[in-house]
């Protein structure tokens, strides 16, 4: 049964989480898992020292994300208003692929050796290519990536920075939860999750060719990979 938390941005929500972690090192199980990443990402800011157990757990997960990452599946966690990190988030094929697969079934009744018009041949080739592409996507592995996106200075509009980052859309990329993390001297960085299809998206290419070039680099100074985990 999945563990549920509510209002993690409020004092009451943090108090309940603190009580929950009193006798636990992790959200579920005996090792860090995706459940910990989900709750970690759902916290709008690092917890204060008032919440001793939450602070201990938060700092431990921060260290793991910086050093080795987190790969265990976990038992499932629900955070109000926040979607857990799951493979299903990118597992559903686009509607176009479903139609292509249905079209392939219709081709079973076609006499491939009979006379076909040029238009019919072209349509059949397009359907076959779409089905092949769909099958390749289903075979592809997926990864969960946590990015640190740093602004130029404390005057950078962080809302526009986040909008600029999420404006980057491509096949095989799904943006997830995000939060602002204080760095110092009034500067905050954006920490954001994304799920990628490995064969379709290269994180290095995404950073070099999209996240640190115009027009996004008006707000973004640099991007770093904090954690990279296979799903």
């Amino acid at each position: 049964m999945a563990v549920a938390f509510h209002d993690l941005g409020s004092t009451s929500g943090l108090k309940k989480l603190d009580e929950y972690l009193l006798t636990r090192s992790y959200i579920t199980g005996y090792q860090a898992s995706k459940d910990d990443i989900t709750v970690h990402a759902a916290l709008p800011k690092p917890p204060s020292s008032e919440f001793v157990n939450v602070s201990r757990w938060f700092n431990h997960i921060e260290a793991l994300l910086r050093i080795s990452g987190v790969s265990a599946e976990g038992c499932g966690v629900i955070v109000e208003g926040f979607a857990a990190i799951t493979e299903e988030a990118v597992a559903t094929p686009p509607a176009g692929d479903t139609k292509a697969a249905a079209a392939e079934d219709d081709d079973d009744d076609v006499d491939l050796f009979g006379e076909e018009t040029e238009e019919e041949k072209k349509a059949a080739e397009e359907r076959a290519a779409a089905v092949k592409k769909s099958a390749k996507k289903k075979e592809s592995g997926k990864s969960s990536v946590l990015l640190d996106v740093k602004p130029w200075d404390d005057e950078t509009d962080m809302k526009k920075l986040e909008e600029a980052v999420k404006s980057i859309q491509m096949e095989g990329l799904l943006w997830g939860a995000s939060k602002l993390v204080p760095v110092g001297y009034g500067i905050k960085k954006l920490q954001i999750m994304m799920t990628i299809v490995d064969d379709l998206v290269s994180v290095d290419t995404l950073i070099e060719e999209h996240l640190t070039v115009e027009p996004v680099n008006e707000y973004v100074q640099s991007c770093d990979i904090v954690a990279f985990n296979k799903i």
Side-chain angles (χ1 to χ4, degrees):
M1 182 176 179
V3 181
F5 297 102
H6 307 277
D7 301 323
L8 291 183
S10 68
T11 300
S12 61
L14 284 173
K15 184 177 180 180
K16 291 181 180 179
L17 178 60
D18 195 67
E19 292 172 352
Y20 178 83
L21 290 169
L22 177 62
T23 58
R24 298 174 175 85
S25 297
Y26 303 105
I27 298 300
T28 59
Y30 298 99
Q31 61 178 323
S33 69
K34 293 175 185 175
D35 295 342
D36 293 280
I37 296 180
T38 296
V39 177
H40 177 277
L43 290 170
K45 61 181 180 180
S48 68
S49 57
E50 172 188 356
F51 303 101
V52 178
N53 302 309
V54 179
S55 294
R56 164 187 52 79
W57 165 83
F58 183 89
N59 292 333
H60 179 54
I61 298 303
E62 285 265 289
L64 287 179
L65 291 175
R66 288 194 299 268
I67 298 171
S68 59
V70 174
S71 58
E73 290 294 326
C75 302
V77 63
I78 298 172
V79 180
E80 183 181 19
F82 188 85
I85 301 168
T86 62
E87 181 175 359
E88 286 75 12
V90 292
T92 304
D97 293 337
T98 304
K99 293 178 181 178
E104 183 193 31
D105 292 337
D106 293 339
D107 286 343
D108 290 342
D109 298 327
V110 177
D111 180 4
L112 298 178
F113 298 97
E115 293 185 358
E116 293 181 80
T117 64
E118 289 299 321
E119 290 183 357
E120 289 174 335
K121 290 180 181 179
K122 183 177 180 180
E125 290 173 356
E126 290 177 349
R127 288 195 293 269
V131 172
K132 184 177 180 181
K133 184 177 181 181
S134 175
K136 181 179 180 181
K137 280 197 282 187
K138 291 178 181 178
E139 294 172 359
S140 298
K142 302 178 183 67
S143 297
S144 175
V145 184
L146 181 63
L147 287 180
D148 268 355
V149 184
K150 299 174 183 177
W152 287 102
D153 50 42
D154 60 341
E155 296 183 358
T156 300
D157 188 324
M158 296 304 291
K159 183 176 181 181
K160 290 185 177 180
L161 180 147
E162 182 175 358
E163 291 175 352
V165 170
K166 290 185 175 180
S167 69
I168 299 170
Q169 301 291 326
M170 61 179 65
E171 186 178 15
L173 168 65
L174 180 68
W175 293 109
S178 62
K179 65 179 180 180
L180 297 180
V181 180
V183 177
Y185 303 100
I187 300 176
K188 295 181 179 180
K189 64 182 177 181
L190 175 71
Q191 200 166 75
I192 186 167
M193 293 291 306
M194 65 179 182
T195 305
I196 62 171
V197 177
D198 297 331
D199 289 351
L200 298 178
V201 179
S202 163
V203 181
D204 291 336
T205 300
L206 175 66
I207 292 174
E208 294 173 4
E209 298 184 5
H210 296 277
L211 288 172
T212 53
V213 298
E214 293 183 352
V216 181
N217 67 352
E218 178 181 350
Y219 308 100
V220 176
Q221 180 190 57
S222 63
C223 292
D224 296 309
I225 300 171
V226 180
F228 193 111
N229 300 296
K230 293 290 184 180
I231 297 178

